[in-house]
Amino acid sequence: GKLDLGDFNWSAAISDEMIEVIDITIEDTTRAARLPLHHRDPFDRMIIAQALNRNATVVTSDEVFRAYGVEILMG
């Protein structure tokens, strides 16, 4: 299902939790476009590309992310 956040205040949450917002770069879009089609969700593919480009860990419960060799923390 889709996540419904209602009136969730993103600005406050980002500030309170010291979350870093990552911009999408040309390198991210290029990498996402070149990924094999193990996963067809374009948003998830962008998350995977960004994680690969930054050597970052992704928190997910989606096992398909493993097919890309990205480090994951099962959520």
Side-chain angles (χ1 to χ4, degrees):
K2 300 295 179 189
L3 180 62
D4 179 9
L5 297 176
D7 294 331
F8 187 78
N9 186 338
W10 279 106
S11 295
I14 289 168
S15 176
D16 293 348
E17 301 300 324
M18 297 172 36
I19 295 171
E20 180 183 353
V21 176
I22 301 172
D23 292 329
I24 296 172
T25 66
I26 294 297
E27 291 79 13
D28 296 330
T29 58
T30 301
R31 187 144 195 186
R34 292 180 177 162
L35 288 173
L37 289 174
H38 303 304
H39 206 305
R40 299 208 181 265
D41 183 308
F43 187 75
D44 286 350
R45 292 169 59 79
M46 182 57 67
I47 292 170
I48 292 163
Q50 288 185 307
L52 290 169
N53 284 345
R54 292 163 180 81
N55 295 315
T57 301
V58 177
V59 178
T60 183
S61 59
D62 190 340
E63 289 285 343
V64 178
F65 278 52
R66 290 189 193 279
Y68 292 99
V70 67
E71 186 173 337
I72 64 169
L73 175 64
M74 292 304 287

